[in-house]
Amino acid sequence: MSEQRTTAQGGMETSYGFRSVASGEKQGRVNQVFHSVAKRYDMMNDLMSAGMHRLWKDGMVAWLNPPPRPGWKLLDVAGGTGDIAFRVVEASRGNAHATVLDINGSMLEVGRDRAARRGLAEATTFVEANAEELPFEDASFDAYTIAFGIRNVPRIDAALSEAYRVLKPGGRFLCLEFSEVDMPLLDRAYEAWSFNAIPQIGRMVTGDAESYRYLVESIRKFPRQGEFAAMIGRAGFERVTWRDYSGGIAALHSGWKL
Ligand SMILES: C[S@@+](CC[C@H](N)C(=O)[O-])C[C@H]1O[C@@H](n2cnc3c(N)ncnc32)[C@H](O)[C@@H]1O
């Protein structure tokens, strides 16, 4: 469920944080959020998650376990500033090629600069496009990753179908996303941190509390682990499983195109 529904006037609505907006409006709003935070995005990730996003991303790449085989191809969707792509290329000992796709040119610009500084410019390609309409042929990639991206996409089902289409048979799908905390004390502490501390830190570091309020609200609107696994299955993936990180603050879903 990507929370899409038909309004009385016959238009489609979707969630934008806790609000409902016309389906076509959500993407524009999301794009403004990431244009606004792009330059401070990496620093904010460390502050917001107390560095834990690094461990979750390392866990994602370890589960993917990219082979050290020249020609092995990753598509990292909503790849932003390149965190997953760089880790995958490095884990493949420089053999993999990673295409970083994102709808936001400001995020990609930061990613391109980081790739150049790390000596990974040749191993990476940056593409500005929408996860809902991937500009690639069927069966083009060995793996598809998306980290903290899918909840921002207005039509999640469309993004999942596209993921399935561009993967080769035998290809792997991995999605890392904030999820449902299911621990009584942790969930209260996490709630307080999310709704009070994160927008304040956002205001101090980026001057933009509103963008971070959206990010927190959008986490709460995202489907729970089991529900999201069912959506991945409906897109055609098999052997769908997931792992929780930090009590469910984040969850990593895996599926195969068999
Ligand atoms: C929270 S960032 C995640 C960046 C990176 N994957 C990471 O884990 O650090 C979410 C990214 O999703 C991108 N995004 C949002 N909607 C998208 C869409 N429809 N297609 C592709 N990317 C999208 C945003 O531009 C942003 O860069």
Side-chain angles (χ1 to χ4, degrees):
M1 56 129 249
S2 53
E3 291 259 338
Q4 284 229 335
R5 60 171 177 271
T6 310
T7 63
Q9 292 74 32
M12 291 296 278
E13 282 194 336
T14 191
S15 63
Y16 174 77
F18 288 161
R19 275 171 282 167
S20 281
V21 296
S23 236
E25 196 185 324
K26 171 167 172 160
Q27 190 70 65
R29 287 174 175 258
V30 166
N31 294 351
Q32 277 169 21
V33 167
F34 289 102
H35 279 304
S36 157
V37 305
K39 288 215 160 59
R40 302 283 171 96
Y41 173 78
D42 292 311
M43 187 203 291
M44 270 304 290
N45 265 354
D46 279 329
L47 291 173
M48 274 167 44
S49 72
M52 282 191 302
H53 75 107
R54 292 171 184 260
L55 303 178
W56 303 332
K57 287 171 176 169
D58 288 347
M60 181 184 212
V61 175
W63 205 9
L64 178 61
N65 193 19
R69 195 176 73 227
W72 189 88
K73 285 165 67 179
L74 168 76
L75 175 62
D76 182 40
V77 172
T81 59
D83 265 8
I84 300 300
F86 303 153
R87 279 173 169 77
V88 169
V89 171
E90 282 161 4
S92 75
R93 292 186 231 133
N95 287 291
H97 184 276
T99 300
V100 179
L101 178 139
D102 200 289
I103 202 163
N104 194 305
S106 306
M107 294 289 281
L108 290 173
E109 211 177 292
V110 176
R112 258 191 223 103
D113 288 349
R114 292 179 80 205
R117 282 201 302 275
R118 286 170 176 239
L120 294 177
E122 278 192 22
T124 50
T125 303
F126 291 81
V127 176
E128 192 172 329
N130 191 337
E132 296 176 0
E133 288 171 74
L134 297 175
F136 307 112
E137 306 267 303
D138 297 358
S140 303
F141 294 93
D142 296 286
Y144 173 113
T145 50
I146 182 163
F148 305 114
I150 204 150
R151 76 177 190 283
N152 297 298
V153 175
R155 294 185 305 133
I156 294 176
D157 293 332
L160 292 174
S161 299
E162 281 291 88
Y164 189 83
R165 182 182 68 74
V166 301
L167 276 171
K168 298 176 186 173
R172 180 87 181 274
F173 168 89
L174 281 176
C175 176
L176 181 61
E177 191 49 90
F178 291 108
S179 202
E180 176 89 8
V181 178
D182 198 12
M183 289 174 134
L185 284 179
L186 180 63
D187 65 2
R188 258 175 270 155
Y190 180 53
E191 190 86 354
W193 172 255
S194 301
F195 285 98
N196 301 319
I198 289 180
Q200 294 303 330
I201 298 172
R203 184 167 54 205
M204 283 189 289
V205 177
T206 67
D208 181 359
E210 188 51 37
S211 288
Y212 282 93
R213 198 161 296 119
Y214 155 72
L215 291 174
V216 170
E217 289 178 4
S218 64
I219 291 168
R220 295 303 185 279
K221 296 297 288 182
F222 193 69
R224 300 173 70 120
Q225 289 87 330
E227 214 176 315
F228 185 49
M231 290 171 71
I232 296 169
R234 284 198 292 278
F237 289 103
E238 295 184 46
R239 288 162 54 192
V240 179
T241 50
W242 74 87
R243 296 176 173 174
D244 280 344
Y245 289 129
S246 309
I249 293 179
L252 176 58
H253 283 76
S254 162
W256 293 86
K257 177 171 175 176
L258 296 176

